[in-house]
Amino acid sequence: MPYPTAIEGTDGRIWFSTSRGIVWIDPRHIFKNPAPPPVLIRSLVADEQTYDPSPSLQLPKGTTRLRIEFTALSLSIPERVRFRYRLEGVDDGWRDSADLKRDADYTNLGPGNYRFRVIASNNDGVWNEEGATLEFSIAPMFYQTLWFRSLVFFLSLLLTAFILYLLYRWRVRLVTERLNLGFEERLAERTRIAHELHDTLLQGFFGASMRLQAVSNLLPSKTEKAKENLDDVLDQIDVVLAEGRRAIWDINSSDAAEKDLGQAFTLVGEDLSKTYPANFSLTIEGESRPLQPLVRDQIYRIGREALINAFRHSQATKIELEIEYAPKHLRLVIRDNGCGIQPDVLSAGREGHLGLPGMRNYAEKIEAELKIWSRGESGTEVELIVRQKIAYVKKSSGGLAGRLSRFYRRRSAPDRAKDQEQ
């Protein structure tokens, strides 16, 4: 049976039996090491290059990885010394060093100023709170400097703005192409209707007129009264034929270069002035430019409706129309000094009339901005603004509408001349 190697004596001491003799420990008088261990930072290793600690240590550009070596002096039981460290700006709090580990590793560091602190405790847990401190800085690469980042940020803003501008241009181009496609389809349809009217209705009238003329020639002279009535019918048919040819000519001649808005509105104003006592004046600002045919037609409808409303309902003595050919838009303004428009009529239109709603519908079709102001006894002002990309014909325009218009003018002009001679 083995004998115990330690036993507590009656005096409170603990006795140990060793190979070299008997020893004792008095728990009531155990010695505690009160001295905190001095802490020392030995070196800093950055990218395999060792640096001695020095105030305001400057590390090379591009340094991202480093190791800081430290130690503490304790002669009693050095293996029981413990360390805590932190790199300000990187570590959120103190980090405990592993057993017997006397260095700290850091990676992915950026440029800037750093402060490393390390504290230690002796074998009895007495801490040196002051510890040791090492301040160092890492110089930035050119792409890490403030001016470079500011430049990149500025270029990013420019690129974003340029992309947004391209998206805007793409959107405008898409809308313009869609409108042009609608214009071309409508122009082709108008051309087809004109041809059909010429080839069917007018030719039928012309054939009937020829037959009536033949019948008139066969009537005896005794039936002079009937012959005169028949000749009157023939004259009326000739008038209808002339008006039909003129209408077809207008349809086929809807190219903007052949018809001017100023002249068209002048005719409307002069015609209305004969019936209503109001002075009409027209002003054109800027150089007249060719307009998209169907856009011009919608502008004409809106302006004509505004003029009719002003002459018929405003009781004005002065009516002005202004056309502005600006580089970025076409602007049409009609103003009068009449009695104005009632608010309910201005918002919903006059009951049983399609004037104001029709104007808004025409403006919506060409994506134009239509504004109507009424100032009571001060009169009414109508303003229409059409963007240049929609209103004006491009100088190098070679679209279907232009080709159809030029083809019809070139190929059908002799036929129209023959019809007029007939």
Side-chain angles (χ1 to χ4, degrees), residues 31-45:
F31 174 77
K32 185 176 181 180
N33 185 4
V39 184
L40 175 67
I41 296 178
R42 298 174 56 192
S43 64
L44 184 149
V45 181

Side-chain angles (χ1 to χ4, degrees), residues 130-190:
E130 183 177 356
T133 303
L134 174 62
E135 294 183 355
F136 62 92
S137 62
I138 301 176
M141 300 291 286
F142 78 94
Y143 54 83
Q144 296 174 322
T145 57
L146 179 61
W147 68 266
F148 184 82
R149 292 180 178 178
S150 301
L151 178 62
V152 171
F153 177 74
F154 179 71
L155 292 177
S156 300
L157 289 180
L158 287 180
L159 180 60
T160 303
F162 181 68
I163 292 175
L164 293 176
Y165 174 73
L166 290 180
L167 291 175
Y168 168 76
R169 290 291 302 273
W170 173 78
R171 173 62 180 169
V172 171
R173 180 178 178 183
L174 188 65
V175 172
T176 304
E177 289 178 353
R178 186 168 66 247
L179 287 174
N180 286 337
L181 180 61
F183 297 157
E184 292 165 359
E185 291 176 352
R186 291 183 60 185
L187 182 60
E189 181 66 14
R190 291 176 62 167

Side-chain angles (χ1 to χ4, degrees), residues 248-261:
I248 292 176
W249 175 270
D250 289 339
I251 292 177
N252 289 328
S253 303
S254 68
D255 190 3
E258 297 181 3
K259 197 169 185 179
D260 183 73
L261 273 181

Side-chain angles (χ1 to χ4, degrees), residues 52-171:
D52 294 329
S54 61
S56 302
L57 176 62
Q58 181 76 35
L59 298 180
K61 299 178 180 180
T63 299
T64 59
R65 180 176 181 179
L66 55 84
R67 182 176 71 255
I68 302 175
E69 298 175 347
F70 48 82
T71 188
L73 302 178
S74 179
L75 301 178
S76 57
I77 309 176
E79 63 271 13
R80 293 184 61 182
V81 175
R82 296 292 179 264
F83 296 92
R84 288 179 180 173
Y85 61 88
R86 65 179 297 185
L87 183 59
E88 295 180 357
V90 176
D91 297 325
D92 295 331
W94 291 98
R95 300 171 61 179
D96 292 323
S97 178
D99 294 342
L100 302 178
K101 182 175 174 60
R102 284 169 166 75
D103 58 39
D105 295 307
Y106 291 95
T107 57
N108 299 323
L109 294 179
N113 298 320
Y114 296 93
R115 187 169 184 261
F116 179 80
R117 292 186 60 198
V118 57
I119 59 176
S121 67
N122 63 12
N123 56 301
D124 285 325
V126 179
W127 286 91
N128 181 349
E129 296 292 345
E130 183 177 356
T133 303
L134 174 62
E135 294 183 355
F136 62 92
S137 62
I138 301 176
M141 300 291 286
F142 78 94
Y143 54 83
Q144 296 174 322
T145 57
L146 179 61
W147 68 266
F148 184 82
R149 292 180 178 178
S150 301
L151 178 62
V152 171
F153 177 74
F154 179 71
L155 292 177
S156 300
L157 289 180
L158 287 180
L159 180 60
T160 303
F162 181 68
I163 292 175
L164 293 176
Y165 174 73
L166 290 180
L167 291 175
Y168 168 76
R169 290 291 302 273
W170 173 78
R171 173 62 180 169

Side-chain angles (χ1 to χ4, degrees), residues 172-417:
V172 171
R173 180 178 178 183
L174 188 65
V175 172
T176 304
E177 289 178 353
R178 186 168 66 247
L179 287 174
N180 286 337
L181 180 61
F183 297 157
E184 292 165 359
E185 291 176 352
R186 291 183 60 185
L187 182 60
E189 181 66 14
R190 291 176 62 167
T191 304
R192 183 188 65 81
I193 293 173
H195 287 169
E196 290 183 357
L197 287 175
H198 178 270
D199 296 338
T200 57
L201 184 61
L202 291 186
Q203 292 299 333
F205 271 112
F206 184 73
S209 174
M210 296 296 292
R211 296 183 64 182
L212 288 175
Q213 184 65 51
V215 172
S216 176
N217 295 335
L218 293 176
L219 289 176
S221 57
K222 295 181 179 180
T223 57
E224 189 66 29
K225 185 65 176 178
K227 186 175 177 62
E228 290 179 0
N229 292 335
L230 189 57
D231 289 339
D232 291 339
V233 172
L234 289 173
D235 292 338
Q236 187 174 4
I237 291 178
D238 290 338
V239 172
V240 171
L241 286 173
E243 292 179 352
R245 293 191 188 100
R246 191 181 305 112
I248 292 176
W249 175 270
D250 289 339
I251 292 177
N252 289 328
S253 303
S254 68
D255 190 3
E258 297 181 3
K259 197 169 185 179
D260 183 73
L261 273 181
Q263 297 176 358
F265 285 131
T266 299
L267 294 176
V268 173
E270 291 177 350
D271 184 60
L272 290 171
S273 297
K274 297 176 182 178
T275 306
Y276 302 95
N279 294 326
F280 172 74
S281 62
L282 185 143
T283 304
I284 298 179
E285 296 184 3
E287 184 179 356
S288 178
R289 297 177 59 177
L291 305 177
Q292 294 285 359
L294 300 180
V295 174
R296 186 212 60 222
D297 292 347
Q298 302 290 57
I299 296 173
Y300 174 74
R301 290 189 180 101
I302 295 171
R304 181 182 61 183
E305 185 65 32
L307 285 176
I308 292 174
N309 290 338
F311 275 96
R312 287 183 178 177
H313 306 296
S314 69
Q315 302 176 8
T317 60
K318 183 179 180 181
I319 298 175
E320 300 174 350
L321 188 145
E322 178 182 330
I323 304 174
E324 179 187 5
Y325 292 94
K328 295 185 178 181
H329 63 261
L330 172 71
R331 180 171 173 265
L332 180 71
V333 178
I334 300 97
R335 63 176 66 93
D336 63 68
N337 61 349
C339 61
I341 304 176
Q342 297 297 325
D344 55 338
V345 176
L346 185 62
S347 60
R350 196 180 302 274
E351 184 177 359
H353 294 76
L354 298 178
L356 294 179
M359 291 167 60
R360 294 188 175 100
N361 184 40
Y362 294 144
E364 183 179 355
K365 288 181 179 180
I366 57 176
E367 296 189 3
E369 182 180 3
L370 178 64
K371 298 179 181 178
I372 303 175
W373 295 277
S374 184
R375 298 179 291 274
E377 298 299 328
S378 299
T380 302
E381 179 172 315
V382 178
E383 181 184 50
L384 179 72
I385 298 178
V386 188
R387 289 178 296 168
Q388 58 94 8
K389 289 184 175 295
I390 296 177
Y392 300 138
V393 174
K394 294 182 179 180
K395 294 182 179 180
S396 59
S397 176
L400 177 60
R403 291 195 296 270
L404 282 174
S405 178
R406 290 192 295 271
F407 172 80
Y408 186 78
R409 290 198 305 272
R410 183 172 62 251
R411 297 294 301 272
S412 62
D415 296 335
R416 293 197 299 269

